[in-house]
């Protein structure tokens, strides 16, 4: 009888294992590999809030490791090999920074969990610009590539990549692009409003107020389809086969078990399905680009290859 009870108890534990697997994440730490206040930090803290308030994971701690486009944090994540309770927020900016900073650690070493959100890029011109659409801008660009200056964020970042992709799609040598990098959106805006550059590139949110005030004209967005609430024609609809999202995602340390990865993916899936997460996306104007598990693994490999090709074409990576 005693032996039978032990067998029954063991059977119950084995049957309970899958349920534990889906929910078995506790004492989670999320690294934002940038300073407080930026996109990765905001994303990390939004995840923390929803996971805790929905009772999916408790407790969740967020900490910052800034520097070198996130690659300092990436190296720290790599050194935490086998730690199944550590996540890191990252995105397209990090994919590029790995290459431009010649990082010794790349994303092939980590454990992909999910792509979460994104923001499409817009190309804008000053209100007084003679360029009414992308065709006008491209015509002037082709006539004298060096004369048409584009303002955007850091060299090799998402804004720079978009300009390189558009140049290539328009038949312009990406190495001849005149790209003026600025450290912040405010400086990019000042250059545009002061008519120091022909065009500017950033996420729609950075230019929204000036577009609505009539100070800037948005002439193209990098999404595949028109975006609700954003009355800007896509680049594709104007004959430029370019699509680019400044996406953000989350990865785990290398060397974690299949069970630990499944539990982390399940936690993100549950978070994504919650009304609170959907409300968070709406409040922050984040586009839902959710992709988890093995599909994100494949996407990350493809995105790393595409980013390398773009950065090589504009001469930033050999």
């Amino acid at each position: 009888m005693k032996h039978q009870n032990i067998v029954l108890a063991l059977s119950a534990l084995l049957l309970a294992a899958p349920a534990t697997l889906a929910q078995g994440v506790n004492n989670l730490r999320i690294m934002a590999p940038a300073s407080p206040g930026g996109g990765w930090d905001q994303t990390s803290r939004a995840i923390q809030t929803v996971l805790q308030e929905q009772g999916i994971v408790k407790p969740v701690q967020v900490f910052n490791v800034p520097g070198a486009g996130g690659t300092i944090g990436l190296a720290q994540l790599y050194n935490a090999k086998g730690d199944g309770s550590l996540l890191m927020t990252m995105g397209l900016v990090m994919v590029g920074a790995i290459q431009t900073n010649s990082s010794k650690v790349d994303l092939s070493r980590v454990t992909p969990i999910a792509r979460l959100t994104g923001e499409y890029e817009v190309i804008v011109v000053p209100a007084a610009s003679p360029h009414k659409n992308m065709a006008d801008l491209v015509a002037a660009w082709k006539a004298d590539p060096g004369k048409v200056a584009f303002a955007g964020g850091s060299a090799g970042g998402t804004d720079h990549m978009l300009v390189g992709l558009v140049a290539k799609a328009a038949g312009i040598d990406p190495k001849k692009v005149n790209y003026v990098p600025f450290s912040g959106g405010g400086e990019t805006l000042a250059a545009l409003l002061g008519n120091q550059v022909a065009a500017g590139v950033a996420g729609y949110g950075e230019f929204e107020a000036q577009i609505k005030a009539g100070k800037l004209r948005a002439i193209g967005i990098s999404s595949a389809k028109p975006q609700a609430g954003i009355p800007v024609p896509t680049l594709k609809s104007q004959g430029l086969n370019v699509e680019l999202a400044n996406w953000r995602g989350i990865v785990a340390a290398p060397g974690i078990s299949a069970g630990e990865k499944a539990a982390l993916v399940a936690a993100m899936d549950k978070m994504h399905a919650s009304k609170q997460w959907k409300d968070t996306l709406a409040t922050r104007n984040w586009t839902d680009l959710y992709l988890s598990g093995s599909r994100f693994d494949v996407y990350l490999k493809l995105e790393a290859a595409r980013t390398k090709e773009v950065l090589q074409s504009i001469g930033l990576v050999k």
Side-chain angles (χ1 to χ4, degrees):
M1 189 70 179
K2 189 176 180 181
H3 175 73
Q4 189 178 13
N5 287 340
I6 292 170
V7 170
L8 287 169
L10 286 170
S11 299
L13 282 170
L14 288 170
L15 286 169
T20 306
L21 181 70
Q23 300 168 6
V25 185
N26 291 300
N27 297 309
L28 189 65
R29 290 168 298 125
I30 302 174
M31 182 203 305
S35 299
W40 289 338
D41 180 68
Q42 288 176 29
T43 303
S44 301
R45 294 181 194 281
I47 295 167
Q48 175 191 36
T49 299
V50 178
L51 287 178
Q52 291 190 142
E53 292 184 3
Q54 292 296 310
I56 300 167
V57 181
K58 286 184 179 181
V60 181
Q61 175 197 352
V62 173
F63 64 102
N64 300 80
V65 182
T71 56
I72 291 174
L74 176 61
Q76 191 167 310
L77 183 75
Y78 179 70
N79 289 332
K81 189 174 181 180
D83 186 345
S85 63
L86 177 63
L87 290 173
M88 180 184 74
T89 304
M90 45 71 74
L92 180 58
V93 170
M94 182 180 286
V95 179
I98 286 165
Q99 296 176 36
T100 54
N101 289 309
S102 302
S103 173
K104 291 179 181 177
V105 182
D106 62 32
L107 292 165
S108 68
R109 311 264 189 112
V110 302
T111 305
I113 301 298
R115 184 183 69 183
L116 299 169
T117 65
E119 186 178 22
Y120 292 107
E121 300 267 293
V122 289
I123 295 176
V124 299
V125 294
S129 170
H131 312 310
K132 305 298 181 189
N133 49 42
M134 285 304 299
D136 291 348
L137 182 63
V138 167
W141 202 8
K142 280 185 171 180
D144 191 346
K147 191 177 178 182
V148 178
F150 285 79
S154 59
T158 312
D159 304 342
H160 198 173
M161 281 192 259
L162 181 66
V163 177
L165 285 167
V166 173
K168 190 175 179 183
I172 297 163
D173 182 355
K175 286 189 172 68
K176 292 182 178 177
V177 165
N178 180 1
Y179 183 80
V180 186
F182 291 100
S183 59
E187 293 178 12
T188 302
L189 197 55
L192 279 160
L193 297 176
N195 292 298
Q196 296 165 23
V197 292
V201 182
Y204 177 75
E206 287 196 41
F207 292 143
E208 183 177 17
Q210 285 71 32
I211 292 167
K212 288 182 174 177
K215 294 178 180 178
L216 294 176
R217 182 164 56 249
I219 58 174
I221 189 166
S222 63
S223 54
K225 299 174 182 176
Q227 296 296 293
I230 303 178
V232 183
T234 66
L235 296 170
K236 285 191 169 186
S237 71
Q238 299 178 79
L240 297 162
N241 189 23
V242 176
E243 182 185 345
L244 185 72
N246 186 14
W247 57 268
R248 295 181 190 129
I250 199 137
V251 296
I256 65 173
S257 70
E260 286 171 323
K261 179 180 179 181
L264 290 167
V265 170
M268 288 299 123
D269 286 347
K270 197 169 181 181
M271 179 193 78
H272 175 255
S274 72
K275 181 181 182 298
Q276 188 176 355
W277 181 252
K278 289 176 173 59
D279 290 345
T280 300
L281 296 180
T283 301
R284 294 176 178 267
N285 288 317
W286 289 345
T287 301
D288 187 1
L289 294 178
Y290 196 71
L291 201 65
S292 68
S294 58
R295 292 187 303 158
F296 183 46
D297 290 28
V298 173
Y299 176 81
L300 205 47
K301 288 182 176 70
L302 292 171
E303 197 73 337
R306 177 170 81 148
T307 301
K308 185 175 183 180
E309 187 181 321
V310 174
L311 293 174
Q312 284 176 332
S313 76
I314 55 183
L316 285 179
V317 172
K318 290 182 180 180

